[in-house]
Amino acid sequence: MFFTKAPLLCMAQVLIHIGALTDKAGFHFAENAGKGGPLGELVQWSDLIASLYALGYNIDFSTEIAQLKSSLVVNNRGGCPSVSETKYTAIFVDIVGLKQLKKLTKNRFQMYKCLLRVLDTFGTEPVFNYKKWKPEKDDHNHDYGHTWGNWELNPRQFWTMYPHTPDNSFLGFVVEQHRSTSSPPPPDSQKSLVYGKELYMWKGKSDYLSIIAKYFDVHATIGSTVGKRDKLDWSLVPSLVHNHGILGGAELQQLLQESRLFVGLGFPYEGPAPLEAIAQGCVFLNPRVDPPVDRTNSDFFKKKPTNRQIDSQNPYMAAFVGEPHVYTFNAENLTEVELTVQRILKQPRPPPYLPYEFTFAGMLERITAYLNNQQYCRPHQWPPSDSLVTRLSRPGVSCKQTCYDEGLVCEPELFHLLNNEEAFAKNGIECPSIQRGHSVHAPSLVTSDSHCSLQDDELMLSCAGSEKDVKRLCSCRQYRRGQVALCLSCSL
């Protein structure tokens, strides 16, 4: 599919405000970008900006509070029609920027809410988005009122890095492809590249890496070297590792092309690098996380507005890619590690591979569909009603898992079609009584007393919720292979 820039006569105008880059935020992302600092968010932003420009949008850009304030001045000069006082058809922010925008606009914040699109790497589940939510039972492990949630946006207004949270929208990013698939990487490569740019990621991994070193030369791009060598514990890195330091894009792509394995250490979770590696012909070693981590047992997820459990370093790679490009295994079991490596060596080297949704064309297609159809100021039904596939879950199973088990995805925008008494009857569910409330699992059948539950507030309709002894009525849909965000009948 090809996209051209829109005519310049009346381009839609959007605002981008990256709060994490403001001086006030104090994250110093830009300063640390060349030292191995966190790049996932910056990759998403750069790809979003490039996509919006390629699609013909006129972009106002802000990385400081003063810029944001001046950008929000009402435009009275005419031009393209707008949905409110503001001149923008969409406003893109991160969570930090969202807080800054609310503080700046005060009682006018409600005017901007329907225009917002929030880049949110790990996702925001409805229970953290809804201010009035209170757990049905005492739940001391969950802080539902913390500072990152309570925005009361449509959950689809949160745009994530991976399609891991159906309640939100999958933005994604673009993975560069520098090699033609007709020219495969060298089949006899003896190099492996470790996915670990900071020293703390290497702690306790020496035995695991010693197995890798029996079969491959071990290389790394550790970024903690700049000006800190005397202060850091380099004993965490086995002497057998050849560290290249931070590499430029072209040099890193070359090293990936020369390597047979891209070796995960278990952290960072859900970064972009594994996709970049398999796009260059590497096999990604994806360590399982056992027990799975979530906000109850992980400092990393403790303050994130999601109850999602992470059962491997990159669950998307395990679920949507798999072998021969991705091997998911227990890195703590050295016998399993060695057997996995031996199994890889017995197979032909796989060709470079990249899911379509992470290509430039795939991202343009997805953003076009979102901006044309996800209209929160003037709502209309999208995905279309005819894409609904209804399923009844097993007790205690979420709609996300129920749909996934049947090769479908949960679609929160279709839940309202099932949130009524007629839907229960149509699907053969007998309801001696019906209760309405703010449950995480409605619409559903509570098997303990056979009553049915309906949702009182559409902001709480969620793919994620589950409860023991509850069968959920789930809104599923089919999806385009390689473009999970779009249904088969979804138009751009």
Side-chain angles (χ1 to χ4, degrees):
M1 181 172 293
F2 294 91
F3 299 83
T4 58
K5 287 195 68 176
L8 297 178
L9 295 177
C10 192
M11 291 193 300
Q13 193 154 357
V14 299
L15 171 64
I16 292 175
H17 175 66
I18 309 179
L21 294 184
T22 61
D23 288 339
K24 191 171 183 178
F27 290 135
H28 307 293
F29 278 178
E31 295 90 328
N32 293 325
K35 303 176 184 178
L39 295 178
E41 293 86 350
L42 298 183
V43 167
Q44 270 200 297
W45 276 116
S46 63
D47 290 345
L48 173 63
I49 294 166
S51 298
L52 291 170
Y53 178 79
L55 292 171
Y57 285 88
N58 190 11
I59 303 170
D60 286 350
F61 189 76
S62 165
T63 58
E64 290 301 335
I65 305 297
Q67 289 177 308
L68 176 62
K69 183 176 182 179
S70 64
S71 297
L72 292 176
V73 172
V74 176
N75 177 16
N76 295 317
R77 296 176 297 175
C80 297
S82 61
V83 296
S84 63
E85 294 180 49
T86 179
K87 58 187 174 181
Y88 300 112
T89 58
I91 298 174
F92 296 89
V93 294
D94 51 13
I95 297 291
V96 176
L98 184 58
K99 295 172 71 174
Q100 293 169 343
L101 181 121
K102 183 176 182 180
K103 183 177 181 179
L104 182 66
T105 57
K106 298 179 181 177
N107 61 343
R108 290 169 57 85
F109 179 70
Q110 293 295 324
M111 167 182 137
Y112 297 101
K113 283 181 71 172
C114 67
L115 299 174
L116 293 170
R117 306 295 186 271
V118 185
L119 265 70
D120 182 20
T121 300
F122 296 98
T124 296
E125 291 181 3
V127 292
F128 297 95
N129 177 55
Y130 188 62
K131 286 184 180 180
K132 299 176 184 177
W133 163 249
K134 299 294 182 186
E136 296 175 0
K137 302 176 183 178
D138 290 338
D139 190 351
H140 302 294
N141 292 322
H142 296 77
D143 172 18
Y144 291 99
H146 65 82
T147 185
W148 299 109
N150 294 336
W151 294 106
E152 296 202 326
L153 303 176
N154 184 311
R156 301 289 273 173
Q157 290 177 259
F158 296 96
W159 288 18
T160 62
M161 178 170 280
Y162 280 99
H164 47 53
T165 306
D167 291 313
N168 304 150
S169 297
F170 162 49
L171 169 61
F173 51 93
V174 174
V175 175
E176 297 179 59
Q177 288 179 290
H178 295 279
R179 180 196 294 278
S180 170
T181 55
S182 62
S183 177
D188 57 349
S189 171
Q190 296 301 312
K191 286 184 180 179
S192 65
L193 178 60
V194 177
Y195 181 21
K197 60 187 178 182
E198 293 284 347
L199 282 176
Y200 70 87
M201 299 174 185
W202 294 70
K203 186 176 181 179
K205 305 301 179 183
S206 295
D207 291 342
Y208 166 45
L209 293 173
S210 68
I211 302 297
I212 307 297
K214 289 172 62 175
Y215 302 91
F216 294 94
D217 296 331
V218 181
H219 295 251
T221 55
I222 303 171
S224 302
T225 59
V226 181
K228 298 181 179 180
R229 178 171 294 275
D230 295 334
K231 302 177 183 180
L232 297 172
D233 185 6
W234 281 89
S235 66
L236 296 174
V237 181
S239 58
L240 54 86
V241 176
H242 175 64
N243 183 33
H244 298 258
I246 294 298
L247 297 177
E251 293 82 4
L252 178 60
Q253 299 295 337
Q254 181 64 39
L255 182 56
L256 285 170
Q257 290 172 14
E258 295 172 356
S259 301
R260 179 78 178 270
L261 298 183
F262 190 60
V263 182
L265 296 177
F267 188 86
Y269 304 121
E270 299 183 315
L275 278 169
E276 296 170 350
I278 67 170
Q280 300 302 327
C282 288
V283 172
F284 174 50
L285 294 184
N286 182 35
R288 285 196 191 94
V289 179
D290 188 18
V293 297
D294 58 23
R295 65 195 320 271
T296 68
N297 61 6
S298 165
D299 288 340
F300 183 81
F301 283 102
K302 185 176 182 179
K303 293 298 182 181
K304 291 180 171 53
T306 177
N307 287 320
R308 189 165 57 93
Q309 293 189 321
I310 306 298
D311 57 7
S312 70
Q313 183 168 358
N314 195 304
Y316 173 88
M317 302 294 282
F320 289 96
V321 181
E323 298 181 15
H325 305 281
V326 179
Y327 287 74
T328 302
F329 62 101
N330 181 2
E332 301 297 322
N333 185 327
L334 299 184
T335 300
E336 185 175 345
V337 173
E338 187 149 21
L339 290 174
T340 300
V341 173
Q342 291 174 350
R343 189 153 57 94
I344 292 170
L345 287 171
K346 291 177 182 177
Q347 304 298 321
R349 179 166 185 166
Y353 172 71
L354 181 63
Y356 173 73
E357 55 201 352
F358 289 97
T359 66
F360 185 52
M363 187 165 184
L364 286 176
E365 180 182 65
R366 194 162 56 251
I367 291 177
T368 299
Y370 287 164
L371 294 182
N372 285 345
N373 295 288
Q374 289 185 336
Q375 301 297 329
Y376 304 108
C377 300
R378 297 171 181 169
H380 73 105
Q381 181 61 61
W382 190 84
S385 300
D386 61 9
S387 63
L388 173 65
V389 180
T390 307
R391 292 290 184 266
L392 186 64
S393 79
R394 301 186 308 278
V397 179
S398 71
C399 284
K400 173 185 175 180
Q401 189 62 45
T402 296
C403 299
Y404 176 75
D405 287 344
E406 296 203 25
L408 305 168
V409 293
C410 182
E411 179 48 68
E413 292 293 338
L414 299 174
F415 262 123
H416 71 94
L417 300 175
L418 303 179
N419 192 40
N420 53 71
E421 296 183 36
E422 293 77 12
F424 288 123
K426 183 177 180 181
N427 289 279
I429 302 172
E430 295 184 4
C431 298
S433 65
I434 293 181
Q435 298 179 7
R436 305 191 67 97
H438 297 155
S439 168
V440 296
H441 51 70
S444 58
L445 171 65
V446 182
T447 59
S448 57
D449 59 8
S450 297
H451 82 265
C452 293
S453 177
L454 292 176
Q455 186 59 256
D456 254 352
D457 196 311
E458 290 196 354
L459 286 180
M460 281 293 293
L461 291 169
S462 172
C463 294
S466 64
E467 291 285 348
K468 183 182 178 182
D469 298 328
V470 170
K471 293 183 178 181
R472 297 199 56 190
L473 193 58
C474 300
S475 58
C476 307
R477 63 167 171 83
Q478 294 180 317
Y479 60 92
R480 299 182 190 179
R481 297 301 172 185
Q483 188 68 293
V484 69
L486 303 183
C487 66
L488 295 180
S489 60
C490 287
S491 61
L492 298 187

